Amino acid sequence: MLKFRDYIRVESKAEYEKAIASIEGPVLLLAGGSDLLVQARQDDRYEDHTVVDIFGIEELRTIEDTEGHLVIGACVTHEAIAQSLLVNRYAPILAEAALSVGSVQIRNHSSIGGNLANASPAADTLAPLAVLNAEVVILKDGIESVVPLAEIFEGPYKTNLGDRDLIVSVRVPKLSADVRHDYTKVGRRKALSISRMTIATLLQTDENGVVTRFDMTMGATFPCPMTFPDISAMLVGKRPTKEDISEVARALSAKIPEIAGIRASTRYKQPVCRRLSVRILQELIGDEQHA
Ligand SMILES: Cc1cc2nc3c(=O)[nH]c(=O)nc-3n(C[C@H](O)[C@H](O)[C@H](O)COP(=O)(O)OP(=O)(O)OC[C@H]3O[C@@H](n4cnc5c(N)ncnc54)[C@H](O)[C@@H]3O)c2cc1C
């Protein structure tokens, strides 16, 4: 049985701002509900909260193509992201990650804003958004500001958003067509799996096979989405050899105990990370790999 104090549905940002200004007591934003309604069933923690249903806000359901960025509204669903021509063209790693979320029913009823705000370390969009250098647009106290993705997270399932702070959109720098990508998800089961580990990789080389951009990180592994400039620097400016690739794989897997501490899963995750990283990089570098 779901228990809330009240329920309000809003259809524009203006209605949203008016609604939150008039509500006394704590507010609970509801988008697709795929996380929230599961959590709310577990106990009475939201009994005194007024639910503000934002899923119908039209301004939050669009994907805009601006000069340097795709601006993806917070209530755009994972299915819409997976099917979007713009996202497939300019941020294909995000389209792939969105397609890996749950089932088609879940994808149709879950939003990118909810994926961020829920802050599960296993959330599929976070590692791709980290390597894409995404930013988040937040509406707080009537003012919109743009913050780097990593800045909204405080830990697993914890952001620094207040209950009335609205994620408006995610700004994703557009990739050029020659940036290769890979999104690998290791789950418990093939279908409907919540990730045990994901690896998001972007790699770009020039006409001589020299790496000009390299970003690789993991999801479902660290408390918050992270990027590793030291790992990027291991390949940028090089024509990677097998040894370079092995060193990257070793360095990336070393981040697991370094950042997340030694856990029961470390023994499993470290060798999986090493093996997968080598495979991913060999495939992305392909024939340009040097002896
Ligand atoms: C069966 C099942 C399978 C799943 N599989 C996956 C999977 O494979 N990969 C994966 O990543 N996730 C998975 N999920 C989790 C879930 O679908 C996602 O986290 C989803 O993106 C949450 O979005 P939502 O719109 O449903 O958010 P909601 O449940 O409505 O909200 C989640 C949280 O975000 C807050 N919130 C929502 N929108 C905003 C906003 N615009 N601004 C500020 N706060 C906001 C809410 O207040 C709430 O705290 C699964 C869930 C289920 C039930």
Side-chain angles (χ1 to χ4, degrees), residues 37-102:
L37 297 180
V38 175
Q39 291 157 10
R41 273 196 192 96
Q42 286 164 7
D43 51 44
D44 294 339
R45 73 180 104 162
Y46 298 124
E47 235 177 356
D48 58 344
H49 286 60
T50 300
V51 170
V52 179
D53 183 343
I54 58 170
F55 207 43
I57 299 184
E58 224 21 76
E59 299 113 294
L60 269 52
R61 299 193 64 116
T62 58
I63 300 177
E64 278 174 47
D65 181 6
T66 69
E67 207 168 305
H69 293 84
L70 289 183
V71 182
I72 304 174
C75 291
V76 176
T77 64
H78 290 109
E79 187 61 17
I81 291 171
Q83 302 305 333
S84 158
L85 294 179
L86 283 173
V87 182
N88 277 281
R89 178 165 175 196
Y90 292 117
I93 191 170
L94 181 61
E96 214 173 289
L99 189 63
S100 81
V101 170

Side-chain angles (χ1 to χ4, degrees), residues 186-187 196-197 264-273 275:
V186 185
R196 259 196 167 166
M197 180 173 14
S265 63
T266 312
R267 257 182 29 181
Y268 151 86
K269 283 190 173 179
Q270 274 199 296
V272 172
C273 168
R275 272 198 300 277

Side-chain angles (χ1 to χ4, degrees), residues 215-234:
D215 296 288
M216 195 170 202
T217 194
M218 284 170 279
T221 304
F222 306 122
C224 307
M226 308 196 71
T227 49
F228 301 115
D230 55 331
I231 302 261
S232 298
M234 291 174 79

Side-chain angles (χ1 to χ4, degrees), residues 197-215:
M197 180 173 14
T198 62
I199 303 184
T201 313
L202 296 179
L203 186 119
Q204 186 180 34
T205 54
D206 67 12
E207 62 283 5
N208 300 314
V210 175
V211 175
T212 50
R213 175 175 182 170
F214 171 54
D215 296 288

